[in-house]
Amino acid sequence: MTLDKVYINMCWLREKVFDDGGSVINCAFNVEELQGHADDSGWVNMVIKKRREPNEKGYTHYAQLDTWKPTDSQSENNESEAEQSQTKDSDKLPWDE
């Protein structure tokens, strides 16, 4: 089952690369659009992806809504793994191995 891609349209992201190799990404998002994408907890999960080439305004990246949700079996597996690791970890200290 493939979900349709949902893009965050009212935003811009522009990367600035410095001479020393460092970089920053300047960005702006429209709050009203983000509120429309918020989940029940108030979070908006997104993926920032690099464009193949900057557009005419110099925008170097774009934002896509992250619509992935774990299935019930994935959630149960993650919880049981976490419980097992807590039990395992609580019995030993790092230097006991």
Side-chain angles (χ1 to χ4, degrees):
M1 182 170 121
T2 304
L3 297 174
D4 291 332
K5 293 180 180 182
V6 178
Y7 297 97
I8 310 295
N9 294 312
M10 298 179 72
C11 71
W12 61 262
L13 299 108
R14 187 180 302 143
E15 183 177 25
K16 167 69 175 154
V17 179
F18 300 101
D19 293 337
D20 66 0
S23 67
V24 296
I25 297 177
N26 294 312
C27 57
F29 294 91
N30 179 279
V31 174
E32 290 178 9
E33 181 182 11
L34 291 182
Q35 286 174 333
H37 293 300
D39 64 16
D40 295 337
S41 302
W43 290 90
V44 178
N45 295 322
M46 65 181 84
V47 178
I48 306 299
K49 297 182 177 182
K50 191 166 189 164
R51 295 175 181 259
R52 289 187 182 130
E53 294 181 18
N55 72 0
E56 67 279 353
K57 294 184 179 182
Y59 301 161
T60 57
H61 292 71
Y62 63 97
Q64 182 179 332
L65 190 66
D66 185 358
T67 56
W68 181 84
K69 302 258 189 262
T71 61
D72 289 337
S73 63
Q74 289 173 324
S75 296
E76 290 171 6
N77 288 341
N78 289 343
E79 289 173 8
S80 64
E81 288 174 10
E83 289 172 2
Q84 290 173 0
S85 70
Q86 286 177 354
T87 305
K88 226 186 296 181
D89 293 341
S90 63
D91 294 341
K92 290 184 178 181
L93 296 173
W95 53 83
D96 288 341
E97 293 182 9

